[in-house]
Amino acid sequence: MGMFAPDPAFLATSHELGDLPLCQARLQDDARYPWIVLIPRVEAARELEDLSPGDLSRLTDEILAAGRAVRALGAPVEKLNVGALGNVTPQLHVHVVGRRAGDPAWPGPVWGHSPAQPHDAEKLAAVTAAARAALGL
């Protein structure tokens, strides 16, 4: 997979959960939403088309696993949003966000809605443990 380092923007806005077979999994630091970011550990990948067919299949499996983990974080989830935008941070990454009617950004996108509300230390420990367990990390 070559040399991998997450873009510094991820280090500032999320917490590392661990490595899946393809992706580094990270917990987005916004307590309002159960939210996992998957970053394929593929050097210079910016687009889905930069992945091999095998890695693309693996990414799909990891997105599904992240969806199950998002649901395990304790907040009610009515709809999973999955997005690979990359307009601000071009390194290939996929957001898996649990949404529900009445959440702060509903029914619009979470991006750019309002400043993140970081997890407090106790909540961060609990959701990190739940996400790692659900992902088998």
Side-chain angles (χ1 to χ4, degrees), residues 109-123:
V110 295
W111 296 276
H113 175 267
S114 55
Q117 294 180 4
H119 296 279
D120 64 38
E122 184 178 324
K123 174 81 175 195

Side-chain angles (χ1 to χ4, degrees), residues 80-101:
L80 285 173
N81 288 182
V82 176
L85 304 175
N87 296 340
V88 174
T89 307
Q91 182 177 34
L92 180 60
H93 61 285
V94 177
H95 296 268
V96 182
V97 187
R99 302 296 307 277
R100 68 188 181 288

Side-chain angles (χ1 to χ4, degrees), residues 7-8 23 31 52 72 78 84 87-88 96 104 129 131:
D7 186 285
C23 295
S52 69
E78 296 172 13
N87 296 340
V88 174
V96 182

